[in-house]
Amino acid sequence: QVQVVESGGGLVQPGGSLRLSCISSRSRFSIYPIAWYRQAPGKQRELVATIFSGGPTEYLDSVKGRFTISRDDAMNTVYLDMNSLKPEDTAVYYCNFRASPIAWGQGTQVTVST
């Protein structure tokens, strides 16, 4: 069964940084657009950032300039570097394939708080 496994979350103060990682067992990983999503308590899951095959990226307006998505196709891994974190970034963060999603993983909790 193809899976994604997210890691790297934690508790960080406002203005801090975190790096999230997502590894997948999907074959031909490099051909797929893959994205990070987040879901805050009481809210719907939202698309945060996407990276397409070959490297083009898209971002949610509220994270532009603060978050960077990248991929290492040799390692079947996608990253999300998050800087200048704000309390409103608090959520469970998930990764999945953008156009051909698979079962959701457990996600990784990011909490931005003093």
Side-chain angles (χ1 to χ4, degrees):
Q1 183 177 359
V2 179
Q3 294 181 316
V4 288
V5 179
E6 303 93 346
S7 63
L11 173 63
V12 63
Q13 293 188 344
S17 300
L18 283 173
R19 179 177 235 206
L20 306 184
S21 300
C22 168
I23 188 166
S24 175
S25 58
R26 193 168 203 172
S27 61
R28 303 179 70 200
F29 177 88
S30 64
I31 72 171
Y32 294 100
I34 189 163
W36 283 97
Y37 300 79
R38 67 186 179 187
Q39 187 166 20
K43 294 187 177 181
Q44 289 191 333
R45 189 172 292 166
E46 65 178 350
L47 177 63
V48 175
T50 303
I51 186 163
F52 297 89
S53 178
T57 56
E58 292 180 350
Y59 294 93
L60 181 68
D61 282 348
S62 62
V63 308
K64 284 180 181 177
R66 300 188 298 122
F67 291 10
T68 303
I69 189 171
S70 60
R71 63 192 298 163
D72 183 341
D73 291 332
M75 299 295 291
N76 275 29
T77 300
V78 62
Y79 302 99
L80 187 68
D81 289 295
M82 305 186 296
N83 298 307
S84 302
L85 282 160
K86 304 176 180 180
E88 52 264 43
D89 296 318
T90 295
V92 179
Y93 283 71
Y94 303 86
C95 69
N96 211 327
F97 296 91
R98 175 85 180 263
S100 52
I102 61 173
W104 293 94
Q106 294 295 309
T108 187
Q109 175 72 48
V110 172
T111 303
V112 185
S113 175
T114 57

